[in-house]
Amino acid sequence: MVWQQKTFWNLALNNDLGAIDLTGATINAQIIRRQLSNVRDSRYGLAFDISDYNPPPTPIALTITNRNDATGSFTLVIDSDVWALIASDPELEIQDVDGIGFSGRIKISFPQDGSTPANDLIVFLLFLVRSDAIVKN
């Protein structure tokens, strides 16, 4: 994604029987800054190394909106302005090929339902943030 991009993902959970009912489920999404290195184009897409960022940052909560339990749908808001990125970050320079990385997850925790035990559904997230060199203020 491009630095200062604001977007969203509308997600709907379904299985063979239709929409997954989210009633009683807890939805939590968070990301954390990571160190990227050796970012390069490969025959199969981007290849890179990812490691913990130093000093260790605090995880960042992502906003969940437009939740509709009956249809199993919700919106994940993606706004890099809240990710503590600053214009002076050297990894946002256009010549920095590695860019800035965040990894995280969406965790949907379902409570016990009759004989079905409590369980979690995890969606892993990975964001590579780069400057487009058009606006960096």
Side-chain angles (χ1 to χ4, degrees), residues 37-57:
S37 58
N38 302 316
V39 177
R40 62 206 173 279
D41 278 318
S42 75
R43 183 175 191 165
Y44 304 105
L46 284 180
F48 54 90
D49 297 318
I50 186 169
S51 59
D52 290 336
Y53 191 78
N54 197 10

Side-chain angles (χ1 to χ4, degrees), residues 34-84:
R34 299 291 184 193
Q35 184 68 48
L36 298 178
S37 58
N38 302 316
V39 177
R40 62 206 173 279
D41 278 318
S42 75
R43 183 175 191 165
Y44 304 105
L46 284 180
F48 54 90
D49 297 318
I50 186 169
S51 59
D52 290 336
Y53 191 78
N54 197 10
T58 302
I60 301 160
L62 300 178
T63 303
I64 302 293
T65 63
N66 302 327
R67 181 171 166 169
N68 185 322
D69 290 343
T71 63
S73 63
F74 58 91
T75 300
L76 174 69
V77 177
I78 303 167
D79 180 355
S80 68
D81 283 349
V82 300
W83 296 5

Side-chain angles (χ1 to χ4, degrees), residues 69-119:
D69 290 343
T71 63
S73 63
F74 58 91
T75 300
L76 174 69
V77 177
I78 303 167
D79 180 355
S80 68
D81 283 349
V82 300
W83 296 5
L85 292 175
I86 56 173
S88 61
D89 192 319
E91 293 174 334
L92 277 175
E93 296 294 333
I94 190 66
Q95 71 272 16
D96 186 325
V97 296
D98 291 334
I100 295 172
F102 291 87
S103 68
R105 52 111 181 108
I106 302 170
K107 181 178 179 183
I108 305 166
S109 298
F110 294 93
Q112 180 175 341
D113 184 16
S115 62
T116 303
N119 65 89

